[in-house]
Amino acid sequence: MEINRRINYVKFHLFFITLHFLLNNLVLIFLHLMTENNKRRSLMNVEEDRVSDLPEHLIGSILDRLPIQEVVRTSILSKNWRYKWTTLTTLVLDEKFSNKFAKNGALGRNGFIRIINQVVLLNKGPISKFSLHIPKTYLYSFHKEVDEWMLFLSENSVRELTITNSSRRFELSSHVSSCSKLRKLSLENCILRPPLEFKSFSNLEDLYLKQIDFGAKYRETLVSLPQLWRLVMVRCTNIHNFNIEARKLNIFRIINLDAMYVQLLDWLLATPSITILLLFLAKPFKVLVGVERMNLTRMLSNLPNIRELTFSGDFLKFLTADKFPKWLPHSLNSLSFLWLACFELNDLDQFHGALCLLRNSPNLERLWMWSQTVRRDVGLASNHLESPDCLDQTLNRLQTVQIRYLKGSRPELLFIKLLLAHSPSLIKMTIHPKVCSSLEPHHDIVVGVMQFPRASPKAELIFVNC
């Protein structure tokens, strides 16, 4: 009995020691977990506030990349963030911005002006970039407010300015011409009557004008833009009142060109620095009858450095209407990309203009053609394309050809045959038929083109169905 009692006592003592050890370890484990948890919380707090510890210029750079409504919301984060949104250097109040407020019913008769005033006029720092979209509203008179915004921007050294107007056309304030630091200016659907002070755009490098009216009652204005590098004009009116002198112009695009642009073209196409040129005629050639003649030879002789050239078919017809030059005085040695848009092979004037460009471009690498077929006699064009001396020049550097809106007319197929036979370096020719369907491209086009001989053994023909 005594032995059993002692054994039980030892067992109980061992159990008690074990239990004590376990409890002590549980306490230690719990304390360790609590310590680790506190560390994690401390680290989280540090991480949460890490953005606030960044230098101010980095915070500003981050905020400039956020939508303006998100930036304004940062004012609720803390006292330190309450007014950071008022120091933005980039204000993008674009179409997405106005559409979002319009969905919430905020763009009433005065809602738009109130919102812009709060965002713009409360800003405390310099604004380097400002983009404004004016939506379709019931506002009948808001040009005074726009004047105030332009004055504010001119005093804040704005460098990039974009105004896109979807409402009623209004006359843009002369305060725009006071923005002497501007490097990029984009305007849409405004009336712009440039005063003499418009010459103050001495730093302007990029100018985009869409649906701009230059005023019918104002005399011609010569604007000197010594740093202008890119000019794009789309459907502008009264352009004869606005002439630009830009000796450093590199990219020049006009869409919906009409007779009123001819004088401007004379000014700008004498600029040898142009490397990219795009000219789309707005109306048929007959509209330009009576205007001082401009021809292909004279135009291209002034562009020795041209790399990318885009002509609409009607404009090419206008340039070659007097005569069909076979060889230009100077080859277009720098031209690597040619785009013939709205091009009609059945028109002999356009056809001969295209052959002239191909023949005089020894380093051409890419050719795009957007075909436009009008009902007219295709026999003359077909006869020219089938003649042995149609293109008496090998296109040694041509590698890529893209033809869109192909109907499969005989002149179109013969033109493709001509390109395949004269392009020994051709890698890929992509053809997009005009009629779209869920079926394969037109069988006749595919069969006809696949049978044409190819000067390049690497030439790949790709037919793309819409």
Side-chain angles (χ1 to χ4, degrees):
M1 291 291 296
E2 183 65 20
I3 294 174
N4 291 335
R5 186 177 66 80
R6 289 184 177 181
I7 291 174
N8 289 335
Y9 175 80
V10 171
K11 288 181 177 180
F12 177 79
H13 186 68
L14 290 173
F15 173 76
F16 180 80
I17 292 173
T18 303
L19 180 61
H20 181 73
F21 176 79
L22 290 174
L23 288 175
N24 285 336
N25 279 285
L26 285 174
V27 171
L28 291 174
I29 291 171
F30 178 76
L31 291 175
H32 176 73
L33 290 175
M34 289 294 292
T35 303
E36 289 297 316
N37 190 40
N38 288 334
K39 288 182 179 179
R40 289 193 186 97
R41 287 182 179 178
S42 299
L43 288 173
M44 288 176 64
N45 289 334
V46 170
E47 289 176 356
E48 287 175 358
D49 198 45
R50 188 171 293 173
V51 176
S52 297
D53 293 335
L54 291 173
E56 288 296 327
H57 72 279
L58 288 181
I59 294 177
S61 180
I62 294 172
L63 294 180
D64 283 339
R65 287 165 171 76
L66 294 175
I68 185 66
Q69 56 268 31
E70 300 298 331
V71 176
V72 174
R73 286 174 181 170
T74 62
S75 61
I76 65 173
L77 294 177
S78 67
K79 290 182 179 180
N80 292 333
W81 284 82
R82 183 168 298 174
Y83 299 108
K84 285 188 183 295
W85 69 273
T86 63
T87 61
L88 289 175
T89 60
T90 299
L91 294 179
V92 179
L93 312 173
D94 55 10
E95 189 171 3
K96 291 182 180 180
F97 173 83
S98 61
N99 286 342
K100 186 165 186 178
F101 280 93
K103 288 180 181 179
N104 298 328
L107 295 184
R109 186 172 294 272
N110 296 311
F112 174 75
I113 294 175
R114 184 179 66 253
I115 292 171
I116 303 301
N117 279 338
Q118 289 176 349
V119 173
V120 176
L121 301 182
L122 292 179
N123 195 284
K124 298 177 181 179
I127 300 175
S128 61
K129 179 179 179 180
F130 181 76
S131 179
L132 173 65
H133 172 256
I134 301 175
K136 292 182 179 179
T137 66
Y138 295 102
L139 295 171
Y140 291 100
S141 177
F142 56 88
H143 62 276
K144 293 182 180 179
E145 286 76 14
V146 177
D147 287 354
E148 291 182 3
W149 302 334
M150 294 303 103
L151 177 60
F152 179 81
L153 292 172
S154 66
E155 295 173 347
N156 281 269
S157 303
V158 63
R159 294 177 179 271
E160 295 186 24
L161 175 60
T162 300
I163 299 179
T164 306
N165 179 30
S166 297
S167 189
R168 296 172 65 249
R169 182 179 288 184
F170 64 95
E171 183 171 349
L172 198 61
S173 166
S174 60
H175 291 311
V176 174
S177 62
S178 301
C179 301
S180 59
K181 301 295 184 180
L182 267 181
R183 295 185 180 274
K184 183 176 182 179
L185 177 62
S186 178
L187 303 175
E188 182 176 341
N189 196 28
C190 304
I191 300 173
L192 183 63
R193 295 169 180 167
L196 296 178
E197 289 79 12
F198 199 79
K199 295 180 181 180
S200 63
F201 283 154
S202 58
N203 296 306
L204 192 64
E205 299 174 354
D206 192 333
L207 179 60
Y208 178 89
L209 302 173
K210 181 178 180 181
Q211 293 176 302
I212 300 300
D213 184 85
F214 291 94
K217 298 180 180 180
Y218 283 72
R219 59 184 177 86
E220 296 179 5
T221 302
L222 178 61
V223 179
S224 178
L225 302 175
Q227 301 300 323
L228 191 65
W229 187 79
R230 175 178 176 266
L231 173 62
V232 180
M233 306 182 78
V234 183
R235 297 195 297 275
C236 296
T237 52
N238 287 311
I239 192 67
H240 57 281
N241 289 326
F242 186 63
N243 292 315
I244 301 174
E245 184 180 45
R247 295 299 178 185
K248 292 186 178 180
L249 189 63
N250 186 266
I251 300 174
F252 183 28
R253 295 187 173 103
I254 296 181
I255 300 175
N256 278 35
L257 169 72
D258 61 25
M260 295 296 101
Y261 282 87
V262 173
Q263 186 173 353
L264 178 65
L265 289 176
D266 277 337
W267 278 98
L268 292 179
L269 293 181
T271 305
S273 59
I274 293 178
T275 63
I276 299 176
L277 177 65
L278 181 149
L279 298 174
F280 273 81
L281 198 63
K283 298 177 181 179
F285 165 73
K286 61 183 181 180
V287 177
L288 295 176
V289 172
V291 177
E292 183 180 354
R293 176 61 58 202
M294 177 182 295
N295 59 61
L296 187 64
T297 301
R298 182 163 64 90
M299 173 182 287
L300 296 179
S301 64
N302 292 328
L303 302 172
N305 300 310
I306 192 71
R307 292 188 293 104
E308 299 183 11
L309 182 62
T310 302
F311 283 153
S312 65
D314 284 331
F315 188 71
L316 190 59
K317 180 181 177 70
F318 164 64
L319 291 176
T320 58
D322 284 345
K323 57 181 179 179
F324 309 129
K326 185 173 182 179
W327 297 101
L328 298 174
H330 305 283
S331 295
L332 304 176
N333 294 320
S334 298
L335 188 65
S336 62
F337 172 57
L338 175 62
W339 178 14
L340 302 173
C342 303
F343 182 73
E344 188 178 344
L345 273 169
N346 297 345
D347 187 309
L348 286 181
D349 293 335
Q350 297 184 32
F351 169 69
H352 283 290
L355 288 183
C356 176
L357 292 173
L358 291 174
R359 188 181 294 115
N360 290 274
S361 305
N363 296 310
L364 188 68
E365 297 178 357
R366 292 186 296 151
L367 173 64
W368 286 8
M369 187 181 82
W370 287 8
S371 182
Q372 175 178 280
T373 304
V374 180
R375 290 185 179 180
R376 56 173 89 212
D377 185 12
V378 301
L380 291 175
S382 299
N383 292 337
H384 280 281
L385 282 161
E386 289 179 318
S387 63
D389 59 344
C390 178
L391 180 60
D392 50 353
Q393 181 75 10
T394 303
L395 307 176
N396 291 313
R397 298 289 186 90
L398 187 62
Q399 298 180 11
T400 305
V401 176
Q402 183 181 121
I403 301 177
R404 287 181 175 270
Y405 312 119
L406 191 76
K407 282 189 173 181
S409 67
R410 183 166 179 76
E412 289 175 332
L413 295 179
L414 289 174
F415 186 70
I416 293 174
K417 182 179 180 180
L418 189 72
L419 293 176
L420 290 173
H422 289 76
S423 307
S425 300
L426 188 66
I427 297 175
K428 181 170 65 174
M429 176 181 285
T430 306
I431 298 174
H432 301 252
K434 182 176 178 60
V435 178
C436 302
S437 67
S438 58
L439 302 176
E440 295 296 320
H442 293 301
H443 180 266
D444 294 341
I445 297 177
V446 176
V447 172
V449 172
M450 293 298 293
Q451 293 177 348
F452 294 150
R454 310 172 197 178
S456 171
K458 298 180 180 180
E460 179 185 9
L461 294 178
I462 300 174
F463 296 87
V464 180
N465 203 30
C466 299

